[in-house]
Amino acid sequence: QRLSEIRQKKGMSQRQLALAVGKSQPQICLWEHGETRMYVDDLLRCAEALQVSVNVLVILNEIHYES
């Protein structure tokens, strides 16, 4: 889901990201819905294509602590 959010903020379609990283559009969809996991090299390519750090892509949720 984080991938989808960042991709959309960058104004990129799934197809455009797929072309940039050498994957298919359905594969991007699977990643975005958490149905498959990315290999490290795919993660690096996505970060480069989206011009963000790998850390930005892997942070899924903020941790909230209750006192």
Side-chain angles (χ1 to χ4, degrees):
Q1 192 169 2
R2 184 85 173 146
L3 178 61
S4 175
E5 176 186 328
I6 294 166
R7 177 185 56 74
Q8 290 176 25
K9 281 184 181 179
K10 297 288 182 171
M12 190 177 278
S13 69
Q14 286 183 343
R15 180 169 169 71
Q16 289 169 320
L17 181 57
L19 290 170
V21 300
K23 297 291 180 178
S24 67
Q25 181 274 328
Q27 182 63 53
I28 301 298
C29 186
L30 290 172
W31 288 340
E32 289 185 352
H33 289 94
E35 295 179 31
T36 61
R37 294 184 183 208
M38 282 190 234
Y39 289 108
V40 174
D41 59 330
D42 295 325
L43 183 61
L44 294 170
R45 285 189 197 111
C46 283
E48 184 178 338
L50 295 168
Q51 299 178 336
V52 297
S53 72
V54 171
N55 289 341
V56 170
L57 289 178
V58 297
I59 296 171
L60 299 178
N61 293 305
E62 290 182 34
I63 299 173
H64 297 278
Y65 293 97
E66 293 183 28
S67 50

